[in-house]
Amino acid sequence: MSVVPRSEGAVLAAAVEALEAAAREDGVRPLSEEAELRLRHGGPDDGRDVLLHHADGPAGYARLDRDGDGWQAEFVVHPRFRRRGLGAALAAQLEELAGDDRLAVWAHGELPGSTELGTARGWTRARTLLQMRMPLAGVDPDPSPALPDDVVVRPFRPGVDEDAWLAVNAAAFAHHPEQGGMTRRDLELREAEEWFDPAGFLLAWRTGPDGETLLGSHWTKVHPPGEAADEAVGEVYVLGIAPQAQGLRLGRALTDLGLAHLRGRGLGEVLLYVEADNTAAVSLYEKSGFTRFSADVQWHREAVRA
């Protein structure tokens, strides 16, 4: 096992081989979108790429990044090398790299092996992120949501709307561990992805004598066949409303418009992610027709106190 600089091309090839094999085996991506973007494009300078070697080939990969006063990690063991203690070896390496700081490790899909590993190492379940899904067949294909007279909804304009969107996103998700910290680079990396479609990135603007003010947005995404299911699947990717626009029912309006866009793409299903302890949101989504599909679990090894 080695901690290697991101610049080594062998790291990328070996890591991609491991994560693609695991995705085929488990039916779930072993790394988050953010971790995969950092794998392909690099991340903060204090991050680490950990490659697990075996005589028969690359056996696993982990990504470790600073997270406030601690560290956050994700890792994958190639299916061919499981049940050999290699997951525990990767976990131990991550603990060593984190030193005495808190270590948070995401396990995607809540697979039995990850639960066994986390429990065996004395880690605690800290967060559960639910994936919920809903068929699009019953969605109104041409909604006419009631919007205030001075509010207009239009697609995102690349190269124009980035700063306004980032400001509203930061305010809307000020207490969210990941989403609220999105940077200009994070946004531009996603704009460069093949799945990015500005037509499905809907922004609600208030117009007035002094110009326009962004109030909220619904950014949709389409997962290609084979990624989230055999067929393409839509996603409520980011739905955020500026604090000053709460109470205008923009969330419902933007949701309806975004779902109609996804149905218009010919998709049969849509997914979204929500924190399991956000009971109000979970209940609202369930009443809207979403059902629980899977879960991602964040395990914590707390900081080591002297």
Side-chain angles (χ1 to χ4, degrees):
M1 188 173 347
S2 57
V3 181
V4 292
R6 170 63 186 79
S7 58
E8 291 188 10
V11 177
L12 178 60
V16 168
E17 179 183 344
L19 73 88
E20 292 296 344
R24 290 192 298 271
E25 176 75 15
D26 303 326
V28 62
R29 303 292 290 182
L31 301 181
S32 66
E33 177 187 67
E34 184 63 32
E36 289 198 30
L37 285 171
R38 291 183 176 185
L39 168 63
R40 300 204 312 268
H41 302 288
D45 292 339
D46 57 5
R48 300 289 185 272
D49 292 291
V50 181
L51 188 62
L52 182 61
H53 297 279
H54 188 276
D56 296 328
Y61 167 80
R63 174 70 196 184
L64 181 71
D65 286 288
R66 267 291 178 188
D67 177 32
D69 60 353
W71 295 86
Q72 181 167 288
E74 301 177 51
F75 68 93
V76 57
V77 174
H78 196 295
R80 288 196 296 128
F81 299 99
R82 291 176 178 173
R83 297 298 176 182
R84 303 186 190 185
L86 299 182
L90 264 175
Q93 179 70 67
L94 292 171
E95 290 177 335
E96 181 179 337
L97 290 171
D100 292 340
D101 296 335
R102 174 184 54 81
L103 174 64
V105 181
W106 277 107
H108 299 281
E110 200 173 16
L111 302 173
S114 61
T115 301
E116 293 172 11
L117 177 60
T119 302
R121 300 205 69 80
W123 298 347
T124 57
R125 292 170 65 109
R127 291 172 61 193
T128 300
L129 189 65
L130 298 179
Q131 183 190 131
M132 305 182 74
R133 297 195 179 192
M134 182 185 78
L136 286 166
V139 167
D140 185 348
D142 188 23
S144 299
L147 294 170
D149 292 339
D150 59 349
V151 173
V152 61
V153 176
R154 64 167 181 257
F156 179 86
R157 297 168 296 177
V160 177
D161 293 333
E162 281 84 354
D163 289 340
W165 184 83
L166 285 167
V168 169
N169 182 71
F173 295 97
H175 303 294
H176 192 282
E178 291 88 24
Q179 183 62 39
M182 185 174 284
T183 66
R184 179 72 179 239
R185 171 174 166 78
D186 294 330
L187 176 56
E188 290 175 346
L189 283 175
R190 286 159 175 78
E191 288 183 59
E193 291 290 287
E194 290 186 7
W195 60 262
F196 180 74
D197 176 14
F201 193 168
L202 305 176
L203 276 60
W205 297 88
R206 168 170 281 158
T207 59
D210 296 326
E212 296 183 318
T213 301
L214 184 62
L215 300 180
S217 66
H218 182 186
W219 186 355
T220 67
K221 177 179 180 178
V222 177
H223 296 266
E227 184 172 280
D230 291 339
E231 304 295 329
V233 176
E235 179 179 350
V236 177
Y237 187 57
V238 185
L239 177 64
I241 307 300
Q244 70 269 25
Q246 297 293 335
L248 298 179
R249 300 182 63 83
L250 291 180
R252 181 72 265 172
L254 286 167
T255 297
D256 290 346
L257 291 168
L259 293 179
H261 169 79
L262 293 173
R263 180 176 176 179
R265 291 281 304 269
L267 304 175
E269 191 174 36
V270 61
L271 65 85
L272 58 77
Y273 290 92
V274 60
E275 297 283 347
D277 61 1
N278 188 344
T279 54
V282 172
S283 177
L284 176 63
Y285 290 137
E286 288 177 335
K287 290 177 181 177
S288 299
F290 284 89
T291 58
R292 304 184 189 205
F293 181 81
S294 66
D296 298 339
V297 178
Q298 188 182 76
W299 294 83
H300 278 194
R301 187 215 61 181
E302 298 303 330
V304 179
R305 303 301 180 188

